[in-house]
Amino acid sequence: MSLTDAYDPENIFARIIRGEAPCYRIYEDDDVLAFLDLYPQSFGHTLVIPRRSAACNLLDVDTDALCKVMVVVQRLARAIVDELQPDGVQVAQFNGAAAGQTVFHIHVHIVPRYAGQDMRVHAAQQGDRGELEQLQARLVRRIAAGA
Ligand code: AMP
């Protein structure tokens, strides 16, 4: 998908927003949704997306939606760091297939990084469902506690 292709309303994140596909949701408000990456590159890998913006990438998203997403990215990065105690946290965002984007609804990755552990290959191996459920519960509790 190029940087200028039209938004496809059947992409998987649009389907998650509409409730047509499941996700391990950890946060939502009127404008933003966050859920665990189904193919985590590290323990706690989270995706943050705008709910109301039919935008493929950083270039076509409206500024207001982008700002709301980034406020949540910071809040959730803090909660993830508090809960999981990684040694670092990577925040990443890809635009266009040539840049590594595979789902064409704009999203921001929060990837906790643990010293001595390499990141797993991008979108390669599905996470263990039991582990994802437990992690979801931990992060939902931590976010509710106001981290
Ligand atoms: P990107 O390559 O930046 O477009 O990232 C897309 C991300 O979405 C990848 O890290 C995938 O592992 C992740 N992903 C794909 N399908 C799902 C899904 N159904 N639920 C959660 N994460 C997904």
Side-chain angles (χ1 to χ4, degrees):
M1 184 126 165
S2 80
L3 287 174
T4 51
D5 284 343
Y7 183 83
D8 174 7
E10 293 307 316
N11 77 72
I12 183 63
F13 292 174
R15 296 185 60 231
I16 286 172
I17 290 168
R18 293 197 297 268
E20 297 168 5
C23 72
Y24 295 92
R25 181 178 317 234
I26 63 165
Y27 174 86
E28 70 180 318
D29 60 33
D30 284 349
D31 301 295
V32 181
L33 174 64
F35 49 91
L36 299 177
D37 197 296
L38 197 53
Y39 306 84
Q41 290 185 264
S42 75
F43 186 60
H45 185 171
T46 294
L47 300 170
V48 187
I49 68 175
R51 294 177 65 164
R52 299 173 183 278
S53 194
C56 295
N57 57 52
L58 186 73
L59 306 180
D60 63 346
V61 69
D62 65 282
T63 309
D64 185 49
L66 178 62
C67 290
K68 285 174 172 155
V69 164
M70 292 311 295
V71 167
V72 172
V73 166
Q74 184 190 43
R75 180 174 170 197
L76 296 188
R78 286 173 169 159
I80 288 166
V81 167
D82 282 349
E83 181 64 28
L84 305 181
Q85 301 286 304
D87 301 293
V89 60
Q90 187 168 355
V91 173
Q93 194 276 319
F94 307 121
N95 303 285
Q101 186 175 10
T102 58
V103 178
F104 299 94
H105 179 106
I106 183 174
H107 52 279
V108 178
H109 297 256
I110 303 173
V111 187
R113 298 299 305 272
Y114 304 90
Q117 281 184 27
D118 289 336
M119 274 169 74
R120 287 177 222 129
V121 176
H122 181 224
Q125 191 183 345
Q126 195 161 316
D128 176 79
R129 291 197 177 264
E131 187 175 276
L132 289 169
E133 273 171 24
Q134 280 185 3
L135 180 57
Q136 177 189 30
R138 282 178 69 180
L139 292 175
V140 165
R141 263 198 309 274
R142 174 65 68 163
I143 293 160

